[in-house]
Amino acid sequence: LTPPIKGTRKVTRLALLTAIALTIFMVEAQIPAVFTIPGIKLGLANIVTVWVMFTYGAKDAALVLAARIFLGAVFAGNFSTILYSAGGGFLAWCVLWGMSKVLGRKQMWLASPVSGVFHNLGQLAVAAAVMETTVVFAYLPWLLIAGVCAGLFTGFCAQFLSDRLEKIEM
Amino acid sequence: LNKGAKLILAALVLAVAASGAWIVLGDRNADDPRVIVEVDGEVYCAYDMDEVDGIIPISTPNGGENRLYVQDDLVFMDSANCPDKLCVKQGVIRDSTVPIVCLPNKVVVRIEGRDSGLDASN
């Protein structure tokens, strides 16, 4: 595809992607929740994570994701949720990494719902650990379906983005 | 789609179908429902649904203050001093399908049938 980018060019590129992810994240946070089950959201910033994973690889995706989660908590002024974002994000990243080995660039849309499900699973696991109760897993079926739906949406966004970006220099 | 992609797609469809079935077919309407409040994973208080009517105040060791409202067959979090108020926004629960969870204050409120309620309090 494109020659690997490195050095200053790469730092700038990743910083730009982090800024995009953070912006999407902050804008989405302003949308009132439609569903009453806690933890259900579109997760639009995932578009960036998926795209970076399939385009630049696991390490760069981890950098962009970690920076976005940390800065997202800073800008939202709410650190009480960072544990959940980090738990969900880490598990989603692991799964996305595995998916990027199995699936090709034309199939990144399919990787997103899987990572979405595991993101929600990770959040539930953190919640269960923090609350010292397994009662929270009652949300699992809802969060699983929500993770697939939201993941498919962001996955297709990433796919369309990827297909179009291939036509211009990236 | 190659073989790996087909497998992943099949697993996703299966997981969604199983979750849907779980939600639709799940046993939710308990006889003699009890409302159970847990703080930090320990039972804080438990009442028969028909024995209480009105506000149940909950004070947690880490400074959490929640007010639970119980009336007839419904339960909702009336107010909470947590930052996100997700527990209040969650609204009413009437059965054992999902609990009300206040993550910052570590409060869990669930409805259970009398028999299973006894198991959980052990």
Side-chain angles (χ1 to χ4, degrees), chain B residues 7-88:
Chain B
L7 270 174
I8 293 164
L9 200 59
L12 279 177
V13 171
L14 208 67
V16 168
S19 299
W22 183 270
I23 290 169
V24 174
L25 304 174
D27 175 30
R28 54 186 67 192
N29 288 312
D31 299 327
D32 272 340
R34 284 165 67 76
V35 53
I36 297 163
V37 179
E38 286 178 12
V39 176
D40 266 333
E42 307 277 329
V43 174
Y44 178 86
C45 60
Y47 300 98
D48 282 332
M49 292 280 286
D50 44 15
E51 140 197 337
V52 279
D53 197 32
I55 299 277
I56 300 174
I58 304 162
S59 301
T60 73
N62 54 5
E65 296 288 341
N66 294 49
R67 284 153 56 89
L68 187 72
Y69 196 89
V70 180
Q71 190 183 46
D72 301 326
D73 66 332
L74 57 87
V75 174
F76 63 89
M77 198 66 87
D78 182 61
S79 69
N81 66 346
C82 57
D84 53 20
K85 307 269 191 288
L86 284 175
C87 53
V88 179

Side-chain angles (χ1 to χ4, degrees), chain A residues 16-31 41-51 64 68 72 75 153-154 157-158 161:
Chain A
L16 178 65
L17 285 160
T18 307
I20 294 170
L22 193 57
T23 310
I24 297 174
F25 176 81
M26 294 308 292
V27 169
E28 190 188 349
Q30 304 308 311
I31 304 171
K41 57 182 269 186
L42 265 177
L44 293 174
N46 187 46
I47 297 168
V48 175
T49 314
V50 170
W51 188 83
V64 171
R68 195 259 297 162
F75 283 100
F153 181 77
T154 56
C157 287
L161 181 73

Side-chain angles (χ1 to χ4, degrees), chain A residues 36-38 78 80-81 84 99 102-103 107 109-110 113-114 117 127 130-133 135-136 138-139 141-142 144-145 148, chain B residues 1-2 4-5 8-9 12 15-16 19-20 22-23 38 40-41 83 89-90 97-103 106-108 110:
Chain A
T36 55
I37 305 274
N78 186 359
S80 66
T81 53
Y84 302 98
M99 291 284 128
V102 181
L103 300 172
Q107 297 167 331
W109 62 273
L110 186 54
V114 184
V117 167
V130 169
M131 314 266 301
E132 295 173 49
T133 177
V135 174
V136 289
Y139 291 119
W142 270 270
L144 196 147
I145 294 173
V148 170
Chain B
L1 290 177
N2 59 22
I8 293 164
L9 200 59
L12 279 177
V16 168
S19 299
W22 183 270
I23 290 169
E38 286 178 12
D40 266 333
K89 285 177 196 155
Q90 191 181 339
T97 358
V98 284
I100 296 176
V101 176
C102 178
L103 285 173
K106 300 189 184 181
V107 174
V108 176
R110 58 202 169 87

Side-chain angles (χ1 to χ4, degrees), chain A residues 103-136:
Chain A
L103 300 172
R105 274 190 68 81
K106 293 280 171 208
Q107 297 167 331
M108 66 170 78
W109 62 273
L110 186 54
S112 180
V114 184
S115 80
V117 167
F118 277 89
H119 174 271
N120 290 353
L121 207 62
Q123 283 197 323
L124 270 183
V126 173
V130 169
M131 314 266 301
E132 295 173 49
T133 177
T134 52
V135 174
V136 289

